[in-house]
């Protein structure tokens, strides 16, 4: 196994040098914190990741959870791990003090979760699924529900989940069928099925608490009739004991990767006795759920980045040690072979991975920093930052997920035949990362979200804010010699983005909505590349300033590495915009006119 | 009872080490520093004694410059109550110098039990605890893998080749701890938050009547070299059954690949 799976140097560069996390401590909400605390949090994550999670990375893949009569048995260490996360305060770390949290900024906690994810993505899913569920309850549930469930989730004793998908309703939540019937006893009776519920059943905790969406019997059709419920596997009785809630796990799925965490099928109300407690108001469920979903989507981007980062370091380590071949100009076979990292094409593959992973991580930490500033910063900034975060969310979910797959694949390629074998972690990482463009909204859904919703909302304000932020970055970079040309390139790309968006918007104005959205995924890819170019230009601007005052070899190498990765992105990845732009401007509706029957034979 | 735990800030052994141009020191730029791992076991042992009601206070003690506070905060986040940093800037003291400075500071601490890791993982000298015991005229046990306190008597197991000694020590005593005595806890977030408010007292070595130059003067490092990387060859002997069993054992226990 490779020794390194993350770079703390890079993580701290992004957290402190770029996003100035210490400035958050000036806000009253974060005033109990300082950099020393943040560093201790990150060091603890690395220590737990190194000592506990990483050593079980392979084992949890090879020894998958087993299903037997409604129960799923997982790696026995996970019970200990959940307890450690609970006792350590990590599950509720960013919750308010009054709910047992420590109000740690998301900027830091996303890095914590990233470290866990790079060490062992499957293991990292268990505690932090609970975080999302508990924070959702804190935002919208009654005090009684919060007091009953949240402390147990934060303690790692109960697992929290998010239960949306049904067998016939995945991306199309409009069509979900799980039904809640009113009773006079303060709860609803639930009947239905859910599938693909991560950690929806397992024996590392004493109870599972689902934050589940369902339709109340007389609710309006469509998404306006969706409500959110707390549905436990075991329901707490007045005397403190737990009793069955008529919610059973009927199956687990056998997956390509991410095998250490079970994905389950659930059946509610087989005996008419599955109780569900309403969260907030009736028929507002989807908007509540989307509070968690938006952060979950940034979390998916973080998870993909984490896996791709582990792959990058594994391939980097290998290419430094593996001697193979000689310089192209060396003709004498008696000369010693050189480490493959010396070959230009191998350096290209490493630079590609670095450009993808560090660019993605930069965006993830930036988005988390936005979450913190929205939550705790000045009220007058809130709306602007919310719009920006809304705009960036589908990008932060998709770019790291889609490009992360290519990045891991390139890492695997660096190892040649060994990369394809399970003696090295690359083949597992390649399988593990594949879920990310699928869960929490597929890439297709994200494309439509970006173009159909985010670009057009509030008369295009979110897009304008996005452009303003990038323009401000470009202006700063123009004065930095090493990246002035890149600043110019991004300025031109941004102008093209506006022109393309006008073109597509024109289709929508003419009522050609199908055509407008037909290539939304390509538009998302296009905006993803621009967003990465922005993040790289920003990193390079900060790096170049630091480089000027740098007096150690280690720092010089680090910042020079940033310069090269930035140049790589602009010279190898940014030109891809042209192909996408060509296609997006054609708008000939090829995929619309293609008929299903033409796919026969 | 008060327990003092000696903690050393050392480079993480997973760091990439380079020898400096003087050929007699290590390049310290960009090294990541951690608490010496054996000291973590000592910290945990102290906290467990306090949690068992056998000690009232755990004080973490370190010697070095301001940067040591980072490591001491980790100890405070594990659960130590307070810290004492013996400030010593400039050239690093030798093991003897460290022991002299710490012993001088510890005289004012009033600890009945002084715990330390069995050695620090940077120089592996394994001298400081032993020297402190001598300077404070206390009994000392090293490489301790079990410890039990009854009244003022400490019973310890001391690891030796192929077995163990069981020793009794009257307090005050100095004990250096072997790994495996416990499982050091991770800092918890509530304790990390509390650590911020815990005091780290500073004591300058000059105020103890000591001189940094003298403390650093006992040893001169003439040259350093990185270990040569060689293939480790191990020829298995015996019949096939024995050789297979030995190989499986080695793969499982030494290489940890099975």
């Amino acid at each position: 196994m490779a020794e390194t799976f993350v770079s703390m140097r890079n993580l701290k560069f992004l957290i402190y040098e770029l996003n100035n996390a210490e400035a958050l401590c000036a806000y009253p909400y974060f005033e109990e914190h300082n950099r020393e605390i943040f560093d201790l949090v990150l060091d603890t994550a690395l220590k737990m990741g190194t000592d506990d999670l990483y050593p079980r990375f392979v084992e949890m893949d090879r020894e998958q959870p087993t299903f037997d009569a409604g129960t799923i048995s997982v790696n026995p260490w996970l019970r200990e791990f959940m307890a450690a996360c609970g006792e350590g305060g990590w599950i509720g770390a960013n919750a308010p003090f009054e709910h047992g949290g420590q109000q740690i900024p998301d900027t830091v906690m996303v890095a914590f979760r990233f470290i866990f994810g790079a060490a062992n993505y499957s293991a990292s899913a268990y505690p932090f699924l609970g975080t999302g569920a508990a924070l959702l309850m804190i935002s919208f549930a009654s005090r009684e529900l919060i007091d009953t469930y949240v402390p147990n989730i934060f303690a790692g004793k109960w697992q929290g989940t998010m239960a949306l998908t049904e067998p016939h309703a995945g991306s199309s939540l409009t069509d979900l069928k799980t039904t809640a019937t009113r009773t006079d006893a303060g709860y609803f009776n639930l009947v239905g099925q859910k599938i693909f519920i991560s950690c929806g059943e397992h024996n590392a905790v004493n109870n599972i608490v689902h934050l589940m969406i369902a339709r109340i019997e007389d609710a309006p059709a469509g998404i306006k009739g969706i409500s959110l419920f707390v549905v436990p596997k075991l329901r707490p009785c007045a005397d403190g004991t737990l009793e069955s809630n008529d919610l059973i796990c009927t199956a687990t799925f056998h997956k390509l990767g991410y095998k250490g965490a079970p994905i389950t099928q659930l059946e509610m109300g087989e005996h008419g006795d599955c109780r569900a407690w309403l969260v907030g108001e009736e028929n507002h469920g989807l908007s509540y759920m989307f509070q968690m979903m938006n952060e979950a989507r940034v979390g998916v981007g973080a998870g993909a980045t984490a896996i791709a980062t582990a792959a990058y370091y594994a391939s980097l380590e290998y290419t430094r040690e593996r001697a193979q071949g000689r310089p192209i100009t060396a003709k004498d076979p008696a000369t010693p072979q050189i480490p493959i990292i010396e070959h230009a094409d191998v350096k290209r593959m490493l630079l590609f991975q670095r450009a993808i992973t560090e660019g993605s991580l930069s965006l993830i930490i930036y988005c988390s920093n936005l979450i913190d500033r929205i939550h705790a910063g000045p009220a007058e900034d809130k709306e602007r930052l919310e719009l920006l975060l809304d705009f960036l969310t589908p990008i932060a979910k998709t770019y790291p997920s889609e490009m992360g797959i290519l990045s891991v694949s390139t890492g695997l390629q660096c190892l040649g035949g060994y990369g394809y074998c399970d003696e090295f972690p690359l083949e597992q990482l390649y399988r593990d990362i594949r879920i990310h463009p699928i869960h929490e909204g597929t890439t297709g859904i994200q494309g439509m979200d970006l173009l159909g919703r985010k670009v057009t909302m509030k008369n295009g304000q979110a897009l304008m804010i996005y452009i303003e932020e990038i323009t401000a970055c470009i202006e700063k970079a123009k004065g930095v010699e090493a990246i002035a040309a890149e600043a110019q390139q991004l300025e031109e790309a941004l102008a093209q983005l506006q022109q393309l968006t006008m073109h597509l918007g024109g289709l929508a104005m003419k009522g050609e909505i199908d055509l407008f959205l037909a290539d939304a995924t390509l538009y998302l890819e296009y905006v993803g590349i621009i967003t990465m170019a922005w993040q790289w230009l920003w990193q390079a601007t900060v790096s170049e300033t630091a480089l000027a005052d740098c007096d150690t070899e280690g720092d010089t190498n680090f910042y020079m590495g940033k310069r090269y990765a930035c140049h790589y992105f602009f010279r190898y990845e940014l030109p891809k915009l042209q192909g996408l732009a060509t296609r997006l401007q054609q708008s000939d509706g090829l995929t619309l006119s293609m008929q299903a029957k033409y796919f026969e034979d | 009872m008060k327990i003092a735990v000696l903690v050393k800030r050392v480079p993480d052994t997973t760091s990439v080490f380079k020898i400096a141009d003087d050929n007699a020191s290590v390049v310290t730029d960009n090294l990541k520093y951690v608490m010496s791992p054996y000291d973590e076991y000592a910290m945990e042992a102290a906290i467990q004694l306090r949690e068992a009601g056998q000690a009232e206070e755990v004080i973490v003690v370190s010697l070095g410059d301001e940067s040591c506070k980072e490591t001491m905060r980790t100890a405070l986040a594990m659960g130590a109550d307070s810290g004492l940093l013996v400030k010593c800037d400039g050239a690093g003291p030798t093991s003897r110098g460290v022991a002299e400075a710490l012993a001088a500071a510890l005289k004012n601490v009033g600890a009945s039990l002084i715990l330390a890791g069995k050695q620090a993982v940077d120089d592996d000298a394994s001298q400081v605890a032993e020297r402190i015991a001598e300077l404070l005229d206390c009994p000392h046990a090293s490489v301790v893998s079990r410890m039990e306190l009854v009244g003022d008597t400490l019973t310890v197991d001391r690891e030796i080749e192929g077995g163990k000694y069981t020793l009794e020590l009257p307090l005050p005593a100095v004990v250096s701890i072997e790994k495996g005595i416990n499982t050091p806890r991770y800092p918890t977030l509530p304790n990390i938050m509390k650590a911020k408010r815990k005091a780290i007292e500073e004591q300058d070595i000059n105020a103890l009547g000591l001189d940094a130059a003298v403390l650093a003067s006992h040893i001169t490092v003439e040259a350093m070299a990185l270990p040569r990387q060689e293939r480790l060859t191990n020829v298995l002997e015996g019949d096939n059954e024995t050789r297979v069993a030995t190989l499986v054992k080695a793969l499982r226990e030494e290489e940890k690949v099975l």
Side-chain angles (χ1 to χ4, degrees):
Chain A
M1 285 270 280
E3 285 189 358
T4 305
F5 51 87
V6 290
S7 159
M8 296 303 280
R9 176 71 182 88
N10 183 52
L11 209 44
K12 290 183 180 180
F13 168 75
L14 297 174
I15 292 172
Y16 300 123
E17 293 176 62
L18 245 68
N19 285 283
N20 192 12
E22 288 161 279
L24 294 171
C25 307
Y27 300 141
Y29 188 78
F30 296 125
E31 68 186 0
E32 292 295 315
H33 297 288
N34 57 33
R35 177 162 178 171
E36 225 168 25
I37 289 176
F38 298 162
D39 282 345
L40 269 171
V41 166
L42 297 174
D43 288 347
T44 305
L46 183 66
K47 196 160 176 48
M48 292 175 79
T50 306
D51 294 350
D52 285 346
L53 281 91
Y54 199 47
R56 292 176 174 89
F57 165 72
V58 173
E59 171 187 311
M60 283 178 62
D61 179 69
R62 306 293 192 271
E63 297 161 20
Q64 293 180 52
T66 54
F67 176 79
D68 183 28
T71 303
I72 294 178
S73 300
V74 293
N75 189 303
W77 162 77
L78 284 163
R79 179 168 278 273
E80 199 182 301
F81 173 59
M82 284 297 278
C85 287
E87 284 161 20
W90 305 116
I91 301 175
N94 50 351
F97 290 131
E98 60 172 306
H99 292 292
Q102 298 292 341
Q103 298 188 183
I104 292 277
D106 216 57
T107 309
V108 177
M109 279 316 290
V110 82
F112 187 100
R113 293 191 289 267
F114 166 81
I115 294 168
F116 271 23
N120 183 336
Y121 182 73
S122 290
S124 75
Y126 291 77
F128 301 127
L129 273 171
T131 304
L135 291 179
L136 188 56
M137 271 192 260
I138 287 172
S139 294
F140 302 111
S142 66
R143 189 75 216 194
E144 192 185 347
L145 283 177
I146 294 171
D147 289 346
T148 305
Y149 293 98
V150 169
N152 283 304
I153 293 175
F154 282 169
K157 293 176 181 166
W158 294 3
Q159 172 74 61
T161 84
M162 183 161 66
L164 284 80
T165 304
E166 297 183 4
H168 53 278
S171 294
S172 177
L173 292 173
T174 309
D175 299 310
L176 64 84
K177 287 184 182 163
T178 296
T179 306
T181 311
R182 286 188 184 78
T183 72
D184 297 330
Y187 57 80
F188 290 73
N189 270 328
L190 207 69
V191 176
Q193 271 190 3
K194 294 284 173 185
I195 58 162
F196 299 154
I197 308 308
S198 294
C199 301
E201 159 61 31
H202 63 86
N203 64 346
V205 288
N206 301 330
N207 196 7
I208 315 269
V209 185
H210 305 283
L211 270 285
M212 188 178 286
I213 51 172
R215 193 178 293 287
I216 296 175
E217 50 192 332
D218 50 7
I223 55 169
K224 288 182 180 163
I226 292 173
S227 299
L228 179 63
F229 296 91
V230 172
V231 192
K233 172 187 164 189
L234 303 172
R235 60 196 183 216
C237 304
D239 63 0
T241 58
L242 296 171
E243 66 179 15
S244 167
N245 192 34
D246 193 17
L247 184 158
I248 54 165
C249 174
T250 49
T252 183
F253 294 85
H254 297 281
K255 299 178 287 178
L256 174 69
Y258 176 31
K259 292 186 179 187
I263 188 164
T264 59
Q265 175 162 336
L266 307 173
E267 180 146 351
M268 291 77 67
E270 191 189 13
H271 305 294
D273 188 30
C274 179
R275 297 179 190 174
W277 284 265
L278 183 69
V279 174
E281 292 180 40
E282 291 184 14
N283 303 330
H284 284 64
L286 212 56
S287 64
Y288 298 153
M289 189 57 104
F290 266 86
Q291 178 203 284
M292 174 152 119
M293 185 64 91
N294 277 336
E295 291 185 16
R297 284 178 173 170
V298 176
V300 169
T305 309
I307 294 170
T309 299
Y312 166 60
Y313 285 106
S315 66
L316 179 63
E317 190 174 304
Y318 183 86
T319 56
R320 280 180 171 146
E321 290 171 0
R322 173 75 167 170
Q324 198 86 163
R326 294 168 182 81
I328 288 177
T329 50
K331 306 289 183 201
D332 181 3
T335 56
Q337 299 196 87
I338 56 172
I340 60 173
I341 196 171
E342 299 295 339
H343 297 302
D345 193 55
V346 174
K347 282 189 270 194
R348 178 192 60 78
M349 292 194 282
L350 293 168
L351 274 167
F352 174 73
Q353 292 180 71
R354 188 164 179 182
I356 301 305
T357 55
E358 293 184 9
S360 296
L361 186 57
S362 180
L363 177 62
I364 296 297
I365 290 176
Y366 178 73
C367 287
S368 302
N369 195 248
L370 288 178
I371 292 170
D372 290 329
R373 286 154 61 197
I374 290 165
H375 189 211
E380 61 267 27
D381 295 347
K382 193 173 156 72
E383 189 186 355
R384 179 184 171 85
L385 299 182
E386 273 178 343
L387 283 169
L388 181 58
L389 180 63
D390 275 346
F391 188 87
L392 290 173
T393 298
I395 304 161
K397 196 268 171 185
T398 304
Y399 189 92
S401 301
E402 291 284 358
M403 294 305 290
I405 294 170
L406 299 184
S407 184
V408 178
S409 176
T410 306
L412 188 152
Q413 187 75 12
C414 288
L415 276 74
Y418 285 120
Y420 200 63
C421 301
D422 65 7
E423 281 86 354
F424 288 87
L426 276 300
E427 68 84 28
Q428 184 186 334
L429 292 166
Y430 189 54
R431 289 184 285 106
D432 283 354
I433 198 171
R434 190 59 187 85
I435 184 63
H436 287 92
I438 301 170
H439 64 173
E440 318 303 359
T442 61
T443 297
I445 292 290
Q446 304 302 321
M448 286 196 280
D449 179 45
L450 179 68
L451 184 58
R453 199 176 301 147
K454 304 297 173 60
V455 166
T456 55
M457 69 181 177
K458 300 219 169 181
N459 292 323
Q461 260 193 60
L463 175 64
M464 291 321 295
I465 294 166
Y466 169 79
I467 289 169
E468 282 166 19
E469 290 292 320
I470 299 180
T471 305
C473 176
I474 291 169
E475 291 309 316
K476 279 187 191 159
K478 277 180 180 172
V480 183
E481 194 185 340
I483 48 168
E486 282 70 22
Q488 182 65 35
Q489 273 179 277
L490 185 53
E491 191 167 45
E492 289 160 15
L494 213 48
Q496 190 184 50
L497 166 69
Q498 292 177 76
Q499 184 227 324
L500 267 178
T501 310
M502 290 288 286
H503 164 73
L504 294 170
L507 299 174
M509 300 272 276
K510 285 192 276 179
E512 295 183 73
I513 303 299
D514 281 354
L515 194 55
F516 167 58
L517 290 176
D519 282 331
T521 303
L522 267 64
Y523 182 81
L524 172 61
E525 189 179 345
Y526 185 95
V527 182
I529 294 173
I530 289 192
T531 307
M532 278 302 111
W534 163 37
Q535 292 297 314
W536 269 113
L537 197 65
W538 183 25
Q539 288 191 61
T541 308
V542 174
S543 286
E544 290 299 324
T545 311
L547 197 55
D549 300 324
C550 191
D551 55 5
T552 70
E553 190 189 349
D555 277 342
T556 305
N557 289 342
F558 177 78
Y559 293 124
M560 284 303 290
K562 286 288 180 194
R563 179 192 290 179
Y564 270 84
C566 173
H567 285 174
Y568 177 90
F569 193 88
F570 276 83
R571 295 174 199 181
Y572 286 74
E573 292 300 306
L574 199 71
K576 293 176 181 173
L577 289 179
Q578 298 320 312
L580 290 165
T582 302
R583 177 61 206 148
L584 283 165
Q585 273 161 338
Q586 286 166 343
S587 299
D588 53 19
L590 183 139
T591 52
L592 295 175
S593 59
M594 175 68 185
Q595 302 291 303
K597 61 189 176 190
Y598 302 160
F599 284 106
E600 286 169 18
D601 296 327
Chain B
M1 181 178 86
K2 189 187 276 190
I3 304 176
V5 183
L6 310 182
V7 160
K8 185 172 184 184
R9 181 173 184 266
V10 297
D12 189 333
T13 51
T14 60
S15 306
V16 179
F17 291 92
K18 284 183 188 164
I19 294 178
D21 293 340
D22 66 2
N23 217 26
S25 61
V26 172
V27 177
T28 54
D29 303 333
N30 296 97
L31 284 181
K32 176 177 161 45
Y33 286 86
V34 295
M35 184 191 306
S36 182
Y38 293 110
D39 298 347
E40 291 181 9
Y41 294 98
M43 264 313 305
E44 179 64 33
I47 297 166
Q48 286 185 8
L49 282 171
R50 191 193 58 199
E51 285 175 346
Q54 293 187 290
E56 286 79 44
E57 190 182 347
V58 175
I59 176 168
V60 54
V61 181
S62 193
L63 178 139
D65 60 19
E66 192 70 18
S67 62
C68 287
K69 284 187 179 171
E70 188 189 10
T71 309
M72 296 175 76
R73 290 271 170 223
T74 305
L76 294 171
M78 284 176 76
D81 299 292
S82 62
L84 169 62
L85 173 62
V86 182
K87 285 285 284 282
C88 179
D89 298 318
T94 60
S95 298
R96 177 176 152 186
V98 172
E100 284 174 5
L102 287 177
L106 284 163
K107 277 179 186 159
N108 305 322
V109 169
S112 305
L113 180 59
I114 297 167
L115 300 179
K118 70 166 184 173
Q119 67 199 70
V121 298
D122 52 356
D123 55 17
D124 282 330
S126 192
Q127 291 191 27
V128 170
E130 289 81 348
R131 286 178 178 275
I132 287 174
E134 186 65 22
L135 291 165
L136 296 179
D137 197 20
C138 287
H140 170 254
S142 62
V143 205
V144 165
S145 59
R146 187 185 70 85
M147 195 166 61
E148 190 183 352
L149 181 64
V150 179
D152 278 347
T153 304
L154 193 65
T155 307
V156 302
D157 286 347
R158 188 175 173 277
E159 294 289 311
I160 56 165
E161 190 73 33
K164 66 185 178 194
Y165 280 129
T166 299
L167 306 171
E168 281 189 357
L169 296 85
L171 297 185
V174 180
V175 173
S176 44
I177 303 289
E178 169 67 303
K179 68 180 176 188
I181 188 172
N182 52 41
T183 305
R185 67 194 64 194
Y186 296 118
T188 66
L189 187 50
N191 276 340
I192 288 173
M193 300 287 285
K194 281 183 208 151
K196 183 182 76 165
R197 296 197 183 85
K198 292 177 181 173
I200 296 179
E201 189 194 333
E202 291 180 28
Q203 197 158 38
D204 199 276
I205 54 159
N206 297 323
L208 293 166
L210 298 165
D211 179 339
V214 175
L215 296 180
S217 67
H218 312 113
I219 293 174
T220 304
V221 178
E222 295 197 343
M224 277 189 177
L226 291 169
R228 280 198 315 179
Q229 292 202 340
E230 289 178 345
R231 254 177 221 281
L232 188 65
T233 307
N234 190 3
V235 178
L236 303 176
E237 297 189 347
D239 58 21
N240 280 348
E241 203 171 320
T242 311
R243 284 191 290 167
V244 168
T246 312
L247 178 61
V248 169
K249 190 170 187 295
L251 291 174
R252 187 167 286 150
E253 294 173 11
E254 291 168 30
E255 302 301 324
K256 296 187 172 56
V257 292
L258 290 183

